[in-house]
Amino acid sequence: MRVLLGVTGGIAAYKVAMVVRRLKADGHAVRVIPTEASLNFVGRATWEALSGEPATTQTFDNVPSVEHVRLGQRADIVLVAPATADFLASAARGEARDLLGNALLATHAPVVFAPAMHTEMWNHPATVANVATLRTRGAHVIEPAVGRLTGPDSGPGRLPEPDEIVDALYAVAGDAGVVLEPSSETRPWGDLAGVSIVISAGGTREPIDAVRFLGNRSSGHQGFALAEAARERGARVTVVAANVQLPLGEGIARVDVESSEQLGAAVKSAAATADVVIMAAAVADFRPAAVSGTKLKKKADAGLTLELVQTEDILASLVRERRERQVIVGFAAETGDDAASAAAYARQKARRKGADLLVFNEVGATRGFGDVPNSVTFYDADGVAQGAASGTKLHVAHAVLDAIAQLAVSEQSLR
Ligand code: CTP
């Protein structure tokens, strides 16, 4: 199951590292949201290392993926341990002061609080009232253990031992009908968990002779941003990279190619088992009819005429040979001219290509290439605009994936 674990600012936070350990050992997916104050006791790196997931604190840390809502929505169960008196008060008031507060408001999952504080604070009428409020709303508040507290004091207020917390959590999950089986996916927190995505990126080079080629200005930034974003959202990602000089994050499979022919072969082979194919690469439309094995020599002052032939339209072939319910996405970098606007050409292309989604951006010699902000519109196979996004290439990548996830849900093709 997916456990959302809120850690608030008390010394007992250190014990909760063992809770994460046990949950992970039992095969569950744990996502930790520490409050800012709790980072004084246990740092973010500990939570990220133990859970294998990012541990974000602020509502505005990862806006493109709407984490403040998504995390709560996707949780099977929520545990807050340790829960301070201050956090219980905030939760009882329904406040959304930070990412954890937002997640609690956005969840329908059972919520378990494991309070830890001094006895006076636990027995204070304000805390007693807050706990009663939370319980009335259906939350489970574990009774603190009695024993040694911070400093010389002792009494009720101690965080129960990690195993007791986990057992209490499992009991609540069982009562609520949450399936306890371990999650089989590696990163099941994302909305694309278990989905396999192939992304082509970069620009092809069509050989002319042993040293020269016909190329284009595509840098691969947008395709790589898509790959990183898809991975972050749980997808299994394969990137077919045409001449891209950029690194890719861990856990993303990479196939490097040069020509359109190599790109076509690699993409089709990966597409045979993929749920989604995104053709973000700038593929050459023409290649030299013949490739010289040696460097072409200048002949006196004669010019050179190259004969070019059309390359295969890989996107069109993918659409034609698509697997059942496979989602196929194309990109169109267009320029306008006297006859029509760039957008009009993109709409025509969307109808001609027949991909589920065509992501259009207007380009020019100084627009659209490299690590610069992007502005895109999505068209469906009828050339009807389905949305738009602009911002960093990572922001655009998330917007494209949102559109894909929506398409996939409406076609019931994923999961
Ligand atoms: N594409 C492809 N194979 C090609 C050319 C392009 O798969 N031989 C894909 C690109 O990866 C992109 C989409 O088709 O997803 C649109 O590419 P673009 O170059 O804009 O379109 P073309 O098919 O080349 O159409 P035109 O020459 O009319 O602009």
Side-chain angles (χ1 to χ4, degrees), residues 189-211:
W189 271 100
D191 61 343
L192 297 174
V195 176
S196 109
I197 303 188
V198 179
I199 301 169
S200 72
T204 60
R205 291 177 180 176
E206 307 306 314
I208 297 172
D209 65 15
V211 293

Side-chain angles (χ1 to χ4, degrees), residues 312-313 315-322 328:
E312 177 189 3
D313 187 330
L315 183 61
S317 303
L318 289 166
V319 169
R320 227 178 13 251
E321 297 157 18
R322 66 171 355 134
I328 298 180

Side-chain angles (χ1 to χ4, degrees), residues 388-402:
S390 58
T392 62
K393 290 194 168 168
L394 189 62
H395 179 86
V396 166
H398 276 292
V400 172
L401 293 171
D402 286 345

Side-chain angles (χ1 to χ4, degrees), residues 89-406:
S90 168
R93 282 196 299 273
E95 288 179 349
R97 294 194 297 212
D98 53 13
L99 187 59
L100 180 56
N102 275 282
L104 280 179
L105 287 178
T107 194
H108 293 294
V111 180
V112 179
F113 292 94
M117 62 198 74
H118 264 70
T119 307
E120 292 83 346
M121 296 168 95
W122 176 245
N123 287 333
H124 192 285
T127 306
V128 172
N130 290 330
V131 168
T133 302
L134 292 168
R135 283 183 172 147
T136 314
R137 283 194 209 130
H140 302 265
V141 184
I142 302 175
E143 286 297 318
V146 179
R148 176 85 193 270
L149 302 167
T150 324
D153 301 346
S154 84
R158 214 177 127 82
L159 189 74
E161 292 311 305
D163 278 340
E164 292 169 44
I165 296 175
V166 174
D167 292 344
L169 187 78
Y170 287 172
V172 171
D175 288 348
V178 175
V179 182
L180 273 176
E181 269 121 66
S183 328
S184 54
E185 304 298 344
T186 38
R187 288 175 74 87
W189 271 100
D191 61 343
L192 297 174
V195 176
S196 109
I197 303 188
V198 179
I199 301 169
S200 72
T204 60
R205 291 177 180 176
E206 307 306 314
I208 297 172
D209 65 15
V211 293
R212 302 186 179 94
F213 57 81
L214 290 174
N216 61 66
R217 290 158 49 83
S218 177
S219 63
H221 276 101
Q222 185 62 75
F224 274 41
L226 273 163
E228 301 285 357
R231 177 76 192 119
E232 176 63 32
R233 289 165 72 155
R236 281 194 305 279
V237 183
T238 300
V239 171
V240 179
N243 311 297
V244 184
Q245 313 301 324
L246 299 168
L248 265 178
E250 255 177 63
I252 299 176
R254 173 174 185 154
V255 183
D256 283 295
V257 297
E258 281 188 32
S259 66
S260 60
E261 195 182 351
Q262 291 168 350
L263 185 122
V267 168
K268 283 187 203 168
S269 142
T273 53
D275 301 306
V276 179
V277 185
I278 306 177
M279 284 293 294
V283 184
D285 292 327
F286 302 99
R287 64 177 166 77
V291 180
S292 165
T294 55
K295 190 180 167 199
L296 292 174
K297 304 278 184 297
K298 263 191 296 201
K299 290 202 184 89
D301 50 3
L304 175 69
T305 305
L306 278 179
E307 192 196 340
L308 302 180
V309 292
Q310 278 200 20
T311 56
E312 177 189 3
D313 187 330
I314 303 162
L315 183 61
S317 303
L318 289 166
V319 169
R320 227 178 13 251
E321 297 157 18
R322 66 171 355 134
R323 300 171 62 206
E324 207 184 330
R325 296 195 302 246
Q326 191 173 49
V327 174
I328 298 180
V329 179
F331 268 69
E334 296 286 348
T335 52
D337 57 23
D338 293 345
S341 67
Y345 282 124
R347 283 194 294 275
Q348 285 171 17
K349 188 170 287 180
R351 288 192 286 268
R352 201 169 65 237
K353 296 266 183 180
D356 298 289
L357 212 62
L358 191 80
V359 182
F360 151 67
N361 69 321
E362 191 163 354
V363 290
T366 56
R367 286 177 74 177
F369 294 105
D371 188 16
V372 295
N374 208 355
S375 187
V376 301
T377 308
F378 316 131
Y379 294 106
D380 67 13
D382 297 322
V384 178
Q386 296 294 327
S390 58
T392 62
K393 290 194 168 168
L394 189 62
H395 179 86
V396 166
H398 276 292
V400 172
L401 293 171
D402 286 345
I404 290 172
Q406 233 169 34

